[in-house]
Amino acid sequence: MKRLEGKTALVTGAGRGIGAAIAKKLAADGALVYVNYAASKEAANAVAKEIEDNGGKALLCQCNISDYDSTKEMIENIISKEGAIDILVNNAGITRDTLLSRMSEEDFDVVIAANLKGVFNCTKHAAKVMAKQNGGRIISIASVAGLIGNIGQVNYSASKAGVMGMTRTLAAELGRYGITANAIAPGFTKTDMTDVVSDKIKEKMIASTPLRTMGEPADIANAVSFFADDRSRFITGQVLSVDGGLSIV
């Protein structure tokens, strides 16, 4: 029997990159995975199709997670169909990178809305259901930028530091209901976001990483898999850096 057989998982921002890898891994572990997307239905559908072609189970769910009411409706729809939600992976996120001196109020607000308020929205509605179930796993994707900062990412770094603080508080509040809350802080990982970074910056980041390489989305997905099942039953309130050692130098 697969580790997550009979479990229902929601992965936000699952149409590409790290989110897609997480969705595929949880499905391979046996979970029914809801593949969330905001606008890129074609990409999300491709992820769901790949899961099903490999013998897994996946369904699409469209929602802009920065919208409170829409997020509530998404969670309620999942519950009405499945009767439960066992795993929430808060992965969706955006960047609007620029130096503070050039950063507009909109640049700041839209990143906080997606990356931090989106985690609040999803967790608020899912945790209520998990508490009634007497169990659940909340896993949020933070970033090494939230640990050590990064030039040109005041908004992004703040949002991810907020996710880590929220995770620790959630662990304290929700533990009595058998719910664990943990976060993962990826380092420099090969995704669409890093594809647009210049080779010079990539070389600099790799040189500053002790393992001298970039991470793969699968590295993050494997960590999520660990937090999603009973291997991590006695771990909560933790932030796991999956960054090749970047945060220690």
Side-chain angles (χ1 to χ4, degrees):
M1 184 175 177
K2 296 182 178 179
R3 294 180 185 276
L4 298 178
E5 196 74 42
K7 302 294 185 181
T8 298
L10 167 62
V11 182
T12 66
R16 61 191 178 95
I18 290 172
I22 292 169
K24 293 172 189 176
K25 176 59 178 172
L26 296 184
D29 288 346
L32 164 61
V33 178
Y34 274 81
V35 178
N36 163 260
Y37 68 97
S40 303
K41 183 176 182 178
E42 185 175 344
N45 190 57
V47 172
K49 185 178 185 304
E50 182 176 340
I51 288 172
E52 292 173 347
D53 288 346
N54 288 322
K57 297 170 288 185
L59 293 168
L60 298 185
C61 57
Q62 191 279 332
C63 175
N64 178 352
I65 62 162
S66 65
D67 183 276
Y68 184 88
D69 290 334
S70 295
T71 305
K72 181 180 180 182
E73 183 179 354
M74 174 179 66
I75 299 293
E76 289 177 345
N77 285 341
I78 294 173
I79 299 305
S80 68
K81 293 177 181 177
E82 312 304 335
I85 182 166
D86 305 291
I87 303 156
L88 168 64
V89 183
N90 292 306
N91 167 77
I94 63 171
T95 57
R96 288 280 187 90
D97 296 350
T98 190
L99 295 174
L100 175 65
S101 59
R102 301 172 187 164
M103 186 173 291
S104 68
E105 182 180 16
E106 181 189 6
D107 288 336
F108 188 85
D109 288 348
V110 72
V111 169
I112 295 297
N115 298 4
L116 185 57
K117 187 170 184 286
V119 174
F120 167 79
N121 290 343
C122 291
T123 304
K124 164 81 173 178
H125 302 307
K128 181 179 180 180
V129 178
M130 290 178 176
K132 292 179 180 179
Q133 299 169 181
N134 293 312
R137 299 283 188 266
I138 298 168
I139 306 155
S140 299
I141 306 302
S143 171
V144 67
L147 288 168
I148 62 176
N150 193 32
I151 292 173
Q153 290 192 316
V154 164
N155 48 6
Y156 187 78
S157 297
S159 71
K160 294 303 186 177
V163 167
M164 290 185 277
M166 189 184 299
T167 295
R168 295 184 181 101
T169 300
L170 290 171
E173 290 187 4
L174 301 176
R176 72 189 70 182
Y177 303 110
I179 301 168
T180 64
N182 293 288
I184 296 166
F188 202 49
T189 307
K190 295 177 183 176
T191 65
D192 291 348
M193 286 185 181
T194 56
D195 282 346
V196 301
V197 174
S198 70
D199 289 340
K200 183 177 180 179
I201 294 178
K202 286 181 182 178
E203 290 169 5
K204 182 179 179 181
M205 293 297 292
I206 290 171
S208 64
T209 300
L211 289 182
R212 297 295 190 271
T213 187
M214 293 174 67
E216 299 283 351
D219 297 321
I220 315 304
N222 287 336
V224 171
S225 172
F226 170 73
F227 280 131
D229 67 34
D230 284 343
R231 289 173 292 175
S232 63
R233 59 170 293 277
F234 202 54
I235 301 173
T236 193
Q238 302 304 305
V239 178
L240 175 64
S241 295
V242 183
D243 62 3
L246 180 61
S247 59
I248 64 170
V249 296

